[in-house]
Amino acid sequence: MSHYSVGMIAHQGDLYGVVLAGGTGTRLWPLSRAGHPKFLHPLTGTDASLLQATVVRLEQLSPPDHVFVVTGVAHAAEVSRQLTDVPADNVLIEPSPRDSCAAIALAAAVIARREPEAVMGSFASDHLIADREKFTEVIQQAMSGARQGLLMTIGITPTRPETGYGYLECGSVVGDGPVMAVQEFKEKPTYDVAESYVKSGNYLWNAGMFVWRVDVFLAELARQQPQLAAGISRIAQAWDSPAREEVLGEVWPTLPRISVDYAVMEGAATVGRVGTVPGDFGWNDVGDFHTLGEVLASDHAGNVVVGRNIENKSGVLLRETENLVVVPTQGRLVAAMGVRDLVIVDTPDAVLVCPRDRAQEIKQLVDALKESDDHGYI
Amino acid sequence: MSHYSVGMIAHQGDLYGVVLAGGTGTRLWPLSRAGHPKFLHPLTGTDASLLQATVVRLEQLSPPDHVFVVTGVAHAAEVSRQLTDVPADNVLIEPSPRDSCAAIALAAAVIARREPEAVMGSFASDHLIADREKFTEVIQQAMSGARQGLLMTIGITPTRPETGYGYLECGSVVGDGPVMAVQEFKEKPTYDVAESYVKSGNYLWNAGMFVWRVDVFLAELARQQPQLAAGISRIAQAWDSPAREEVLGEVWPTLPRISVDYAVMEGAATVGRVGTVPGDFGWNDVGDFHTLGEVLASDHAGNVVVGRNIENKSGVLLRETENLVVVPTQGRLVAAMGVRDLVIVDTPDAVLVCPRDRAQEIKQLVDALKESDDHGYI
């Protein structure tokens, strides 16, 4: 994170990169825990955590003092230690979870105090992106849409009829493109509906990445969510004063728990204020171990060792295995022989074995643990 | 080990039970290690180790002061702690490994000093036996053969053409039976030969359990292995003197490394001095995790959790699994979902996953580790 491209388009203004470091990742149990969520883990094919990789990915767009992280009280210390180049004052700590709208609005309001028409981008901390150059290019396209006053969202061209994501219904091209209007946000569809979306070629996955001018966003928030906007405004006014903690502690718990999609984006699309650019940069939301295995580099037999590059299999002994996703842990050995298509996750206190095609169901194992007395493993 | 049956046949004399606590069990890696061999582990379906189960199994035959254990310097402390009821002086510690003949001869010689015509039984410490009452009955039959001057070996009726065991070729019945003469010891056969043995009905597995009068055994040893017999004799003479350690340290390393089968039993069979009784008491040599799974109690789906009784699955979470052999370790959780016919072994520093039908090949994994730098895991 020490080098920044001289070729950066300085006259367009730098992006304020906002990284949302929240969520647990139940389908990544036993690696991801309530106490140590997935964004803190090296699920990237190197020893960088997903969070660190997210910030490194912004290098070409945001200088370090333009990077903000919003996180909760449980993980703020670890987040701060992982991101040593992000100024301490840019680590925004929510007193309690209030879903994405409050988190994003807080960041927007804090940034607006510094630069009222700043362009900010909001990114999840637990996604993988294969092609970083392409990512930079797409975000720059989105920034140009944002400067025109649109609330921009990055759309991912669907590769399958996924029922786990929301979709964007695209409208007409704006100007010379590549920005397109978003006509409507579609909630997670049924399989048949998802299939028709993919076939039509007119729908993109909503990857939860947004780019906008902070003044445009805050105005739209005030229009649609006046209570939330008023609360955030009070907090922002006290931000650089001794009353920050007092006001944050008083107002934050009163903010509605609502996602930014539902609170702002759906309504903004209805009135023609949302645009999108397709982000075909190899996006993966690291939702489960199977899809993680699809995006990371594998050996000649299709085995993926998470958290190691492909040359380094220390702590892992594989013999006649195929298409495994192996997650080893420091100081222990994972040995496997004669098995295929399995997920094997080792952690300091628990090990998991299941087929890759059932990786989605790990959530149910965690539910079973919740119902039992083994809360220590959750 | 505190209760002894009043019904014990005291007028026939008690058995001296000799337990050989040696060997590593490479095919039980990563549970069994050079530093913590399989006999020290609770592979019994309860929390008793194989060694403890072996001694408990002798309860009806040998009072505690008649139980001897022969072990090496590496494991003597742990053996002593596991077998608190065995008198300290009955724990015979070999200065270095010299194979089974020297170990058994030492025990025989030490017992002979106490009771020159004592009947002793020699047992491996790492076998499982399902039917303890039947075991007691068979050993009592063998004792009667031993009193008649035969070197008795327990033969197991073969259930499959196993190529990993030696076989006993049976001859005529002795007296009224059930003792039979053993005509010849057969080394580990090829599959075809093993198949013909099983079909003939005239062969038993050599389970390495022997019962004899110590004077008969020592005489046969002197006849066939004069050097070994002389060395053991020197050690025995010094046993109850201050020179024990001195003489043991001097003589022991000069003893030939040879198994008792090869050194004594094969030659004794040739001259008609070996007998056998079939021991159909559910014998299992705990050679690998698959066969271990076959002998322990399973849940309704065929899953076996080693070291736990069937009601107690603490530390294990199984969901839609079948025919697993799971070996959990203290303080950690093993979770498995949607898999079948696997061995899953968890230890404090390594985890292993492989199909049950490849459990025999675990030895090759250990060999691979030996060739690598990961010697810490062996």
Side-chain angles (χ1 to χ4, degrees):
Chain A
M1 291 179 50
S2 49
H3 299 290
Y4 288 87
S5 165
V6 181
M8 211 173 137
I9 309 161
H11 67 274
Q12 290 189 337
D14 295 324
L15 180 76
Y16 282 81
V18 175
V19 175
L20 305 180
T24 304
T26 308
R27 285 171 299 166
L28 293 176
W29 182 90
L31 191 69
S32 183
R33 308 282 178 104
H36 205 69
K38 65 175 169 171
F39 57 79
L40 295 174
H41 287 277
L43 295 172
T44 60
T46 74
D47 59 1
S49 71
L50 287 170
L51 174 66
Q52 289 172 319
T54 302
V55 171
V56 167
R57 191 182 302 132
L58 293 171
E59 258 182 22
Q60 306 290 319
L61 297 160
S62 305
D65 73 332
H66 277 45
V67 175
F68 286 73
V69 187
V70 188
T71 190
V73 292
H75 310 304
E78 181 70 13
V79 165
S80 304
R81 286 175 186 163
Q82 287 200 1
L83 302 179
T84 48
D85 286 354
V86 173
D89 214 38
N90 289 12
V91 179
L92 312 182
I93 304 174
E94 307 169 282
S96 57
R98 276 294 172 274
D99 215 325
S100 62
C101 192
I104 288 174
L106 176 64
V110 169
I111 291 167
R113 288 177 61 83
R114 206 190 285 184
E115 189 180 328
E117 295 189 3
V119 175
M120 75 171 253
S122 169
F123 306 97
S125 58
D126 51 6
H127 293 176
L128 274 177
I129 284 166
D131 185 343
R132 196 166 125 192
E133 295 307 312
K134 181 79 180 161
F135 169 78
T136 300
E137 192 185 305
V138 167
I139 298 300
Q140 284 168 340
Q141 291 165 352
M143 288 168 72
S144 96
R147 284 194 198 90
Q148 296 166 45
L150 288 171
L151 299 178
M152 295 296 299
T153 174
I154 311 301
I156 309 295
T157 306
T159 54
R160 59 182 186 276
E162 172 66 51
T163 58
Y165 303 148
Y167 286 70
L168 309 169
E169 184 185 358
C170 299
S172 53
V173 171
V174 176
D176 302 333
V179 175
M180 292 180 289
V182 171
Q183 286 194 297
E184 201 174 335
F185 278 68
K186 299 287 192 183
E187 303 266 332
K188 294 175 184 177
T190 62
Y191 187 87
D192 289 347
V193 171
E195 211 165 27
S196 71
Y197 287 173
V198 175
K199 274 188 189 150
S200 78
N202 199 36
Y203 290 79
L204 300 171
W205 286 337
N206 175 14
M209 283 181 260
F210 305 107
V211 180
W212 49 54
R213 282 203 341 245
V214 290
D215 58 329
V216 173
F217 173 76
L218 290 170
E220 190 63 20
L221 182 75
R223 183 179 78 83
Q224 293 192 58
Q225 304 289 336
Q227 191 213 332
L228 208 163
I232 290 293
S233 174
R234 272 192 68 197
I235 293 168
Q237 279 162 30
W239 196 255
D240 295 316
S241 80
R244 183 202 291 189
E245 286 190 329
E246 198 68 46
V247 174
L248 192 63
E250 184 197 324
V251 176
W252 191 264
T254 71
L255 301 180
R257 284 177 184 259
I258 188 168
S259 76
V260 72
D261 297 69
Y262 191 66
V264 176
M265 299 307 287
E266 291 186 8
T270 309
V271 295
R273 291 177 190 161
V274 178
T276 188
V277 280
D280 298 323
F281 36 59
W283 171 80
N284 186 288
D285 72 340
V286 195
D288 60 67
F289 289 113
H290 170 62
T291 54
L292 180 61
E294 298 217 306
V295 75
L296 298 180
S298 63
D299 68 13
H300 64 281
N303 303 298
V304 170
V305 179
V306 177
R308 306 273 194 279
N309 70 48
I310 199 62
E311 303 301 326
N312 171 10
K313 288 215 186 121
S314 67
V316 175
L317 177 62
L318 304 182
R319 190 184 177 89
E320 295 166 37
T321 64
E322 283 175 50
N323 299 322
L324 300 188
V325 178
V326 177
V327 187
T329 194
Q330 194 68 35
R332 289 174 45 85
L333 178 70
V334 175
M337 176 178 65
V339 287
R340 55 179 299 161
D341 303 314
L342 291 183
V343 170
I344 304 176
V345 185
D346 192 33
T347 72
D349 66 349
V351 60
L352 168 74
V353 179
C354 80
R356 285 182 67 157
D357 64 10
R358 298 192 67 174
Q360 295 264 1
E361 296 171 48
I362 290 171
K363 192 179 177 311
Q364 296 166 20
L365 273 183
V366 178
D367 290 343
L369 281 175
K370 281 179 186 160
E371 283 162 26
S372 76
D373 292 332
D374 286 334
H375 289 181
Y377 298 113
I378 304 174
Chain B
M1 291 180 47
S2 49
H3 298 292
Y4 289 87
S5 164
V6 181
M8 212 172 138
I9 308 159
H11 66 274
Q12 289 189 339
D14 294 325
L15 180 76
Y16 282 81
V18 175
V19 176
L20 304 180
T24 305
T26 309
R27 285 172 299 164
L28 293 177
W29 181 89
L31 191 69
S32 182
R33 308 282 178 104
H36 206 68
K38 66 174 168 174
F39 57 81
L40 295 174
H41 287 278
L43 296 172
T44 58
T46 74
D47 60 1
S49 72
L50 286 169
L51 174 67
Q52 289 171 319
T54 303
V55 171
V56 167
R57 192 183 302 132
L58 293 170
E59 259 182 21
Q60 306 290 320
L61 297 159
S62 304
D65 72 332
H66 276 46
V67 175
F68 286 72
V69 187
V70 188
T71 190
V73 292
H75 310 304
E78 182 68 15
V79 165
S80 303
R81 285 175 186 164
Q82 285 201 3
L83 303 179
T84 47
D85 286 352
V86 173
D89 214 38
N90 288 14
V91 179
L92 310 184
I93 305 174
E94 307 169 282
S96 58
R98 278 289 171 276
D99 215 327
S100 62
C101 191
I104 289 174
L106 176 64
V110 169
I111 292 166
R113 289 177 61 83
R114 206 191 285 184
E115 190 179 327
E117 295 189 2
V119 174
M120 75 172 251
S122 169
F123 306 97
S125 58
D126 52 6
H127 293 177
L128 275 178
I129 285 166
D131 185 344
R132 196 165 126 195
E133 294 306 313
K134 180 79 181 162
F135 169 78
T136 299
E137 190 184 310
V138 168
I139 298 301
Q140 284 167 339
Q141 291 165 351
M143 288 168 73
S144 95
R147 285 194 197 90
Q148 295 166 46
L150 288 171
L151 299 178
M152 296 296 299
T153 175
I154 310 302
I156 308 295
T157 305
T159 54
R160 60 182 186 275
E162 172 67 52
T163 59
Y165 304 147
Y167 285 72
L168 308 170
E169 185 186 357
C170 299
S172 54
V173 171
V174 177
D176 302 332
V179 176
M180 292 180 289
V182 171
Q183 285 194 298
E184 201 174 335
F185 277 69
K186 300 287 191 182
E187 302 267 332
K188 294 174 184 177
T190 62
Y191 187 88
D192 290 347
V193 172
E195 210 166 26
S196 72
Y197 286 174
V198 175
K199 275 189 189 148
S200 78
N202 199 35
Y203 290 80
L204 299 172
W205 286 337
N206 175 12
M209 282 181 261
F210 305 107
V211 179
W212 50 53
R213 278 200 345 239
V214 290
D215 58 330
V216 174
F217 172 76
L218 290 170
E220 191 62 20
L221 182 75
R223 182 177 79 83
Q224 294 191 59
Q225 305 288 337
Q227 191 212 332
L228 209 162
I232 290 293
S233 175
R234 272 192 67 198
I235 293 167
Q237 279 161 31
W239 196 255
D240 294 317
S241 81
R244 183 202 292 188
E245 286 190 331
E246 199 68 46
V247 173
L248 191 63
E250 184 197 324
V251 175
W252 191 264
T254 71
L255 300 180
R257 282 176 185 261
I258 189 168
S259 76
V260 72
D261 298 68
Y262 191 65
V264 175
M265 299 307 286
E266 292 185 8
T270 308
V271 295
R273 291 179 189 160
V274 177
T276 189
V277 280
D280 300 323
F281 35 59
W283 173 80
N284 186 289
D285 74 341
V286 195
D288 61 66
F289 289 114
H290 170 62
T291 53
L292 180 61
E294 297 216 307
V295 74
L296 297 180
S298 64
D299 69 13
H300 65 282
N303 303 298
V304 170
V305 178
V306 177
R308 308 272 193 281
N309 71 47
I310 200 60
E311 302 301 326
N312 172 10
K313 287 213 185 122
S314 67
V316 175
L317 176 62
L318 304 182
R319 189 183 177 89
E320 295 166 36
T321 64
E322 283 176 50
N323 299 321
L324 300 188
V325 178
V326 177
V327 187
T329 192
Q330 193 68 33
R332 287 175 47 84
L333 177 70
V334 175
M337 176 178 65
V339 287
R340 54 179 301 160
D341 301 315
L342 291 182
V343 170
I344 304 175
V345 185
D346 192 33
T347 71
D349 67 348
V351 60
L352 168 74
V353 180
C354 80
R356 284 182 67 157
D357 64 11
R358 298 191 67 174
Q360 295 263 0
E361 296 170 48
I362 291 172
K363 191 178 178 312
Q364 295 165 22
L365 273 183
V366 178
D367 291 342
L369 281 175
K370 281 179 186 160
E371 283 161 26
S372 77
D373 292 332
D374 286 334
H375 290 180
Y377 297 114
I378 306 172

